[in-house]
Amino acid sequence: MCGIVGYVGKKEASPVLINGLSKLEYRGYDSAGVAIIENNKLKISKCKGRLANLEAKLQQEPIHGAVGIGHTRWATHGEPSDLNSHPHSNEDETISVVHNGIIENYLHLREWLTSKGYKFMSETDTEVIPHLVDYYYQGNLEDAVMKAISKMDGSYALGVVSTHEPGKLVAVRKDSPLIVGVGKDEFFIASDIPAILNYTRDVYLLNDKEFVVITQDGIKLLTEEGDIINKDIFHVTWNADAAEKGGYEHFMIKEIHEQPKAIRDTMTSRIALEKPITLDKISLTKEQLENIDKVYIVACGTAYHAGVVGKYAIEQLARIPVEVDIASEFRYRNPIINEKTLMIVVSQSGETADTLAALREAKKHGARVIAVTNVVGSSASREAHDVLYTWAGPEIAVASTKAYTTQLIAMYIMALYFAEQKGTLSSERIEEIKKEMLQLPEKAEETLKHKDVLQRFASKTYMHKDMFFLGRGVDYAVAMEGSLKLKEISYIHSEAYAAGELKHGTIALIENGTVVIALATQDNLFEKMVSNIKEVKTRGANVLAFAFEGNNDIEKTVDSALYIPKTETVLAPVLSVIPLQLLAYYMAVQKGCDVDKPRNLAKSVTVE
């Protein structure tokens, strides 16, 4: 959430900053701004709304200079406005700051700085930072920034420039992502790699409390004590094109169609017939697994729904008790964690604040932590004991699609690995499931061919204000994800229910014409699910059902049916979620919504 870009080089900074910020629009924002040092003076341009507004403003009132910082803001403290937009500066505009995160003690700092004669213009927590840096500035910008952050509680990624030292940019991170790009005679900071891929693929990945000091002469990486850090450059292997639309109307529909490849890539080298399952460098022996008395899967949003599927898979295949928890609730309920606990944290970005907090809580109590993430070098990947990457590639649309399906694959890989180590499944049964997993990319391609049917259904139902998703067993987990997708991008109110719960209150909401999406892919629950569908049909619901090919009898009960290729029931979520993603997408398109950047949402939630 929010985006930072910074530049020091020989080019005009303004177009570099705007280009970088445009690659971070997916993170969600409501205002944008830049601060550039022009002829040893700080020039700031910022405004509420889309980046295009800022770009137009800069065309009318250009700023020239080769050192600058830029920001897209998602409001936390203070409403979206020109005044609250970043960058923020001190009173005489000699120091300017961009900031992602939240300064938790900003009110105390604001009161203290006010007592020292400082005046505040905005409602933001960020504005205390340039004043703090100003207070501590005594001729060395990095020293002043170091002293300032020693007084700050909370999360932050900061970029700081000053007219006192016009050729310098200082940056630091804590609990909020920040990378440093190294080009030829030019250097960058950014919240995420796509912002700088047009200029370089060589980056430094900053850890918490690490500083970078950038000048025309080069880069210094420093600890919070000021000691030099020697760090290897990380070379980005995917192209800038991977973060572009590639001819599709939206990133979301492109990423939905990229799922077969992402599924295949995530299984590569990990799943092979007649070979042991590998978890990259993760090693959990039979003895270690026998010593685990509980597995926690902790995540937020879509990743949480992947965790619910993971619970079914691990319990069914490996017979280990699993508890799935929402990360924002987990650490506040005093959970029972010890050295016999295994925690699996799931986060597309690896920077989700609540998930990272749960990870740290688990480590503090002696638990072993495995991170499932899509971002190499992310905080989760560095802080967990082990990491299993989902090779989905960059996901730009705010609503997650291919990251979710690859998270499911990661869950199945772990479940099978645990089962293999513990001996809870025969080798023949494991081979059967592996064979089905390896066929999932091809079956996902087949499932994508149903998009015309879903587009037609969406065109007839997109004006409905309420919809319901029903499922039993693992289908209920998929129903939750389908409902979330619809809410996220179409703004249609929808709810997911375990179908067996209908009679316990929910059925009172069903009336003539109510749209119900029903999932019926679980063989052992198929007849019960059909009975539940009949209950809503009797009360006038318009039902679209999803079932495996061959279960055509469901057509006798529903208004419309869509069939997905037959697979193992535990693996069904990988395929059944695809038409739900498409349905949400076409609903949003029909309504004219901003599919890739839905209102009020951000791709990476890096604050509580």
Side-chain angles (χ1 to χ4, degrees), residues 238-255:
W238 41 273
N239 295 321
D241 292 346
E244 302 297 338
K245 290 180 185 174
Y248 288 91
E249 186 177 355
H250 299 97
F251 281 115
M252 183 177 177
I253 191 66
K254 172 179 180 273
E255 289 157 8

Side-chain angles (χ1 to χ4, degrees), residues 36 78 130 140 148 166 189 193 207-209 221 266 295 299 312 343 397 399 429 443 460 492 494 528 570 600:
I36 297 169
N140 186 297
I189 62 168
I193 289 171
N207 293 318
D208 277 356
K209 295 288 188 74
L221 298 173
T266 301
V295 174
Y312 280 94
M343 177 181 280
R429 181 65 182 133
K443 291 180 178 180
K460 296 175 182 177
I492 295 171
S494 66
K528 292 184 181 297
V570 72
N600 303 331

Side-chain angles (χ1 to χ4, degrees), residues 5-81:
V5 178
Y7 178 75
V8 176
K10 297 180 178 178
K11 296 188 179 87
E12 286 283 342
S14 180
V16 176
L17 297 176
I18 293 296
N19 180 268
L21 292 175
S22 73
K23 306 301 182 185
L24 299 177
E25 286 191 284
Y26 68 89
R27 296 171 71 87
Y29 69 102
D30 45 49
S31 59
V34 297
I36 297 169
I37 296 178
E38 180 183 80
N39 298 324
N40 294 339
K41 292 184 178 180
L42 195 62
K43 297 293 184 72
I44 297 175
S45 183
K46 56 184 183 177
C47 55
K48 178 184 174 182
R50 290 297 185 192
L51 188 61
N53 299 346
L54 175 63
E55 196 169 4
K57 189 174 180 180
L58 286 169
Q59 287 176 352
Q60 293 177 350
E61 302 171 17
I63 306 174
H64 301 287
V67 176
I69 49 179
H71 191 268
T72 49
R73 175 181 185 254
W74 192 83
T76 54
H77 294 70
E79 66 180 6
S81 68

